[in-house]
Amino acid sequence: MKRLSIAIDGPAGAGKSSVAKILARRMGYTYLDTGAMYRAVTYEALRRGIEEEAAIAAMAAGLDMTVAPGEGRMRVFLSGEEVTDHLRTAEVSGAVSRVSAIPDVRTVMVALQRKLSAAGGTVLDGRDIGTVVLPKADVKIFLTASPRTRAIRRYKELGGSEAGLSVDEIEADIRRRDLLDSTRAASPLVAAEDAVHLDNSDLTLEETAEAIMKICREKAGEER
C-alpha cells in the first residue's frame, strides 16, 4: 500500500495523539510530534540564552533538526545531538507557549513538518494539520467525540474524584475551550473541507485507529 501522509485534527479530549501513535505503530509509520519540535526550539533558545523573539526565529531558521521513531515517543536531534530527554523539563514547559506563538518560528516549523511528511509514511495530529500544516495530506481525519464523552475520559485520566474536579466542571471547561479554539484568529480549529469526520464517542482508541486504517486502505485503493 502506498505510504500516506495522514493528518488528524480535532478538539481537546478526542484522543488525537493517542490514536495517532497507535496508528503509526500499526502501520509502520512515523508519528511526527509537532509539539516536541517546538519544544526543541525552546530548549535550544534557553540553552543559548536567547530571549528576543526575532533572535529566536533566526536561530530556529538555522537549526539542523532531525527526528526518528522511538519507543513510545519521537526522538529529536539537533545537529546530530539527541535532545529528547531535555524536552519535558519544567523550564521548557514554562517557555514553549511563548516560543511556539512566534509567527516566524511557526513558519520554519511548518516548512520542516511538510518536508518530513513529503515522502509519506507519517502521522501528524493537532488543531490545524489538515488546514495549515499539511493542506495536501493524503488522508485528513477530523476526530471528535461528544463533550460529555471527552469530559469523562479526562476525568478518568486525572484520577477521578482525586483530581478535585467533577465531570460537569470538566465538561464546562471543554466546551469553553472548544469555543476559544474554533473562534481564535490564528489557525482556528476547523475541519478541512476534504476531511473525513469520525466521531469516536463509542469507540476505543484501538477501534478508532482501525477505523482510520480502513479509511487509509480505501484511499489507497485497497478496500477490504
Side-chain angles (χ1 to χ4, degrees), residues 7 9 127-132 134-142 188-198 219:
D9 290 310
R127 303 288 198 282
D128 62 353
I129 304 301
T131 54
V132 176
L134 293 182
K136 296 183 180 180
D138 296 306
V139 176
K140 299 178 186 178
I141 305 294
F142 191 78
L189 172 64
V190 60
E193 290 185 2
D194 53 347
V196 177
H197 289 248
L198 178 58
K219 178 68 177 181

Side-chain angles (χ1 to χ4, degrees), residues 97-218:
S97 292
R98 184 177 73 87
V99 172
S100 63
I102 299 172
D104 287 343
V105 169
R106 298 195 70 83
T107 297
V108 170
M109 289 297 99
V110 166
L112 179 56
Q113 289 152 17
R114 288 173 178 166
K115 179 181 178 180
L116 293 172
S117 300
T122 53
V123 184
L124 286 75
D125 73 278
R127 303 288 198 282
D128 62 353
I129 304 301
T131 54
V132 176
V133 179
L134 293 182
K136 296 183 180 180
D138 296 306
V139 176
K140 299 178 186 178
I141 305 294
F142 191 78
L143 185 64
T144 189
S146 70
R148 190 67 176 180
T149 296
R150 289 185 278 143
I152 292 171
R153 289 173 180 170
R154 183 61 175 157
Y155 179 77
K156 292 177 179 178
E157 288 175 1
L158 293 173
S161 58
E162 295 179 7
L165 293 172
S166 69
V167 173
D168 288 342
E169 289 172 320
I170 296 173
E171 181 179 356
D173 183 65
I174 283 175
R175 289 183 181 277
R176 283 193 296 270
R177 184 168 176 179
D178 284 353
L179 180 61
L180 289 172
D181 284 347
S182 61
T183 57
R184 67 190 180 195
S187 299
L189 172 64
V190 60
E193 290 185 2
D194 53 347
V196 177
H197 289 248
L198 178 58
D199 188 317
N200 71 345
S201 297
D202 299 318
L203 300 176
T204 65
L205 295 176
E206 291 285 352
E207 289 170 340
T208 303
E210 180 58 40
I212 296 175
M213 287 180 68
K214 183 176 184 295
I215 293 168
C216 290
R217 288 194 291 266
E218 292 171 350

Side-chain angles (χ1 to χ4, degrees), residues 8 14-25 31 125 143 157 205-206 209:
I8 303 177
K16 300 183 300 295
S17 296
S18 297
V19 168
K21 291 174 184 176
I22 293 171
L23 188 65
R25 185 181 71 247
Y31 169 61
D125 73 278
L143 185 64
E157 288 175 1
L205 295 176
E206 291 285 352

